[in-house]
Amino acid sequence: MLSGLDHLVITVTDISRAVDFYSRVLGLDVRYRDGERVDLMLGDTALRLHWTATDIQPRAATPTPGSLDICLRSQLPLDEVQRHLEALSVDIELGPVPRQGASSQIESLYLRDPDGNLIEISRPLKPA
């Protein structure tokens, strides 16, 4: 019945700060919808930023900054991602570490966005 994910809403306290992080640090393309909603493109899926003080309806019952835990797939090897994050002085909370992804074993790095959301960046592990 369902075929995929169109968009995922991330509640943030500061749209500009979040746009800077997701575009500069993670390299996502930005599409401005209006002053309270911005789409960050991840292939054909959007990470949609909503400002905490928005009156947009309908929305989650308790939209809370810092409550998201998301795993994003990287096209680059994780050592390149790690060097990029270190060059930008972005703290890596954990990793690289082996994990189980949706369809295979992965290797992951963990960091946080400015609102404290947990961002996991992963790559498939090559078979030994």
Side-chain angles (χ1 to χ4, degrees), residues 68-95:
L68 182 69
D69 181 342
I70 189 169
C71 180
L72 306 174
R73 291 186 200 115
S74 176
Q75 295 176 327
L76 299 175
L78 285 188
D79 61 335
E80 288 184 38
V81 173
Q82 188 168 5
R83 284 195 301 274
H84 168 73
L85 295 172
E86 289 168 353
L88 295 174
S89 299
V90 174
D91 291 333
I92 296 171
E93 192 162 311
L94 179 66

Side-chain angles (χ1 to χ4, degrees), residues 15-32 38-41 47 49 84 88 113-114:
I15 292 277
S16 298
R17 184 177 67 170
V19 165
D20 175 67
F21 174 83
Y22 284 94
S23 62
R24 183 176 54 85
V25 174
L26 300 182
L28 300 183
D29 290 329
V30 180
R31 292 188 187 162
Y32 288 90
V38 176
D39 286 350
L40 303 162
M41 300 311 297
L47 299 180
L49 302 177
H84 168 73
L88 295 174
D113 77 359

Side-chain angles (χ1 to χ4, degrees), residues 74-78 105-108 121-126:
S74 176
Q75 295 176 327
L76 299 175
L78 285 188
Q105 293 289 318
I106 58 175
E107 184 177 40
S108 297
I121 301 174
S122 72
R123 285 272 295 184
L125 272 175
K126 294 181 180 167

